[in-house]
Amino acid sequence: MRPMFKLLILALGSTTSLAQTETSYKGSRFSDTWSTVLEGPYQNLPQEKVTVRSFMSGVLNNLQKASERTLATGDDTLPYFQKLLHPNGICMAGTWNITEPSRYSGYFKQGSQGLIILRGSAALSQINRGEKRSFGLAGKIYPTIDPNHQKPLKTANFFTIDNLAGTYSKNFLDSPMTNDITSIGFGLDNLSQLGILNAANNAFSAAEKTLNRVLSVRQLYQVSELGEQDPKSAITPLWLKVAGRPETRSLNKDFRDDIRVPLRTGILYFDIFVSSEGNLGKDKVWQKIGYIAVDQESTSEGCDHRLHFQHPGWRNDLRSE
């Protein structure tokens, strides 16, 4: 199996971890989580480098542990930790809004509104315009629009990417991102990353333990079950797409400024699309069902080293219709 595909394990998960995720997680308050994200604001944006040395000579085991942690831990924030594959990011806060009818349940249902915390990132070390960058966007939805709610609430997490091999998109907002990670290109310009990918391969293979196939999507049942009294009745789309609206783009060197610059003068919008029709890695029949409105951002230690998104374990019993 090619090393590139083994990178999927961090974004995909293990069939052995699902039971663990429900045992200790009690939820959190939005205000507490966002306060943690704001900790340690950067004066200058760091440019963390990912190399083979990042994983080898004892750190390799940390990569395996990180894979296991993100599968088994539902906590929304953690003590300081290093994001080993997506170290450079920017966090955002706003609202998740579903405005159109669909057959899907939970927080895909028309009328659903919730607070959301997002982290946009670039995989490995490539963060500047002109480099081949692989963008990702993770979201954490709270089932409330009250930023000062007092009762801890369990969140629903989702994960989307544009292309694991990277693209030459000039702006982060120009790259629609989906939970379908099979559209992966690989060319000569990726050869310099083979050592990194092979190190990730070894660590993730150990972390997955019993997973004997490459999963191709990050499932969305946390969102479709959020707010449902009977999770077994949930109807879950196979695919999610999040796309920045085609507004005026500024040309920035660092992808984090693609988000920071427009937020200085207004609200940033991402449109939400779902689908259960189509094929992996190919054209899908997308339905636009709502939008994300972002009005806050943070480039900080808290964003890069405290905020945690739990990867749900793989399930075979999901209903899509």
Side-chain angles (χ1 to χ4, degrees), residues 186-245:
F186 192 80
L188 293 177
D189 50 356
N190 296 104
L191 292 178
S192 63
Q193 301 174 8
L194 280 176
I196 297 172
L197 300 178
N198 190 56
N201 171 9
N202 295 334
F204 298 155
S205 294
E208 63 174 334
K209 295 182 177 71
T210 62
L211 188 63
N212 57 13
R213 61 192 175 97
V214 174
L215 306 177
S216 52
V217 298
R218 166 49 51 203
Q219 290 181 316
L220 303 166
Y221 61 82
Q222 284 195 356
V223 181
S224 65
E225 294 178 358
L226 191 65
E228 292 290 331
Q229 291 187 346
D230 180 11
K232 294 181 180 179
S233 66
I235 302 176
T236 307
L238 295 179
W239 297 298
L240 168 70
K241 179 171 71 173
V242 181
R245 287 189 180 172

Side-chain angles (χ1 to χ4, degrees), residues 28-30 94-96 107 113-116 141-151 153-154 226:
S28 65
R29 289 183 287 265
F30 173 87
T95 57
W96 167 275
Y107 266 64
Q113 281 189 298
L115 299 171
I116 190 168
I141 305 170
Y142 280 83
T144 179
I145 57 172
D146 178 8
N148 299 308
H149 68 92
Q150 294 302 302
K151 180 182 178 181
L153 299 171
K154 291 186 177 183
L226 191 65

Side-chain angles (χ1 to χ4, degrees), residues 1-286:
M1 187 173 294
R2 293 190 306 182
M4 176 64 72
F5 287 109
K6 286 302 185 78
L7 259 177
L8 309 184
I9 300 302
L10 182 63
L12 292 174
S14 167
T15 57
T16 62
S17 301
L18 184 59
Q20 301 174 38
T21 65
E22 303 299 330
T23 56
S24 60
Y25 174 58
K26 303 300 182 183
S28 65
R29 289 183 287 265
F30 173 87
S31 59
D32 293 340
T33 302
W34 187 243
S35 291
T36 299
V37 170
L38 296 175
E39 291 177 355
Y42 297 132
Q43 298 301 314
N44 299 295
L45 294 179
Q47 297 189 22
E48 299 279 354
K49 299 296 183 182
V50 179
T51 66
V52 174
R53 190 178 297 274
S54 303
F55 307 146
M56 303 296 288
S57 302
V59 182
L60 179 60
N61 189 48
N62 287 342
L63 183 59
Q64 178 184 336
K65 289 180 179 178
S67 303
E68 295 170 345
R69 179 201 65 225
T70 199
L71 293 166
T73 303
D75 294 340
D76 296 303
T77 59
L78 295 173
Y80 185 102
F81 69 100
Q82 181 67 34
K83 295 182 186 295
L84 296 176
L85 290 178
H86 287 254
N88 300 293
I90 180 170
C91 290
M92 296 160 269
T95 57
W96 167 275
N97 307 272
I98 303 301
T99 59
E100 306 302 320
S102 75
R103 63 179 181 267
Y104 305 114
S105 61
Y107 266 64
F108 289 119
K109 189 185 303 181
Q110 185 181 29
S112 297
Q113 281 189 298
L115 299 171
I116 190 168
I117 295 175
L118 301 157
R119 185 175 185 266
S121 62
L124 305 183
S125 305
Q126 290 68 41
I127 65 173
N128 294 321
R129 182 165 53 90
E131 297 176 322
K132 197 173 187 183
R133 302 176 292 186
S134 176
F135 292 134
L137 186 68
K140 182 183 299 295
I141 305 170
Y142 280 83
T144 179
I145 57 172
D146 178 8
N148 299 308
H149 68 92
Q150 294 302 302
K151 180 182 178 181
L153 299 171
K154 291 186 177 183
T155 62
N157 297 267
F158 65 83
F159 302 83
T160 59
I161 66 163
D162 57 352
N163 189 309
L164 275 179
T167 70
Y168 289 105
S169 294
K170 294 182 179 180
N171 191 293
F172 182 91
L173 302 173
D174 290 333
S175 292
M177 301 182 206
T178 81
N179 66 322
D180 177 356
I181 58 179
T182 57
S183 299
I184 301 172
F186 192 80
L188 293 177
D189 50 356
N190 296 104
L191 292 178
S192 63
Q193 301 174 8
L194 280 176
I196 297 172
L197 300 178
N198 190 56
N201 171 9
N202 295 334
F204 298 155
S205 294
E208 63 174 334
K209 295 182 177 71
T210 62
L211 188 63
N212 57 13
R213 61 192 175 97
V214 174
L215 306 177
S216 52
V217 298
R218 166 49 51 203
Q219 290 181 316
L220 303 166
Y221 61 82
Q222 284 195 356
V223 181
S224 65
E225 294 178 358
L226 191 65
E228 292 290 331
Q229 291 187 346
D230 180 11
K232 294 181 180 179
S233 66
I235 302 176
T236 307
L238 295 179
W239 297 298
L240 168 70
K241 179 171 71 173
V242 181
R245 287 189 180 172
E247 299 156 342
T248 302
R249 302 283 190 256
S250 58
L251 290 180
N252 305 290
K253 180 180 180 181
D254 190 313
F255 80 92
R256 290 167 288 192
D257 284 327
D258 297 339
I259 295 166
R260 296 203 303 173
V261 171
L263 281 176
R264 291 171 186 167
T265 57
I267 296 175
L268 191 61
Y269 292 95
F270 295 88
D271 287 323
I272 302 167
F273 300 82
V274 291
S275 177
S276 294
E277 301 175 49
N279 299 288
L280 286 171
K282 298 181 180 179
D283 291 339
K284 299 174 176 61
V285 181
W286 292 108

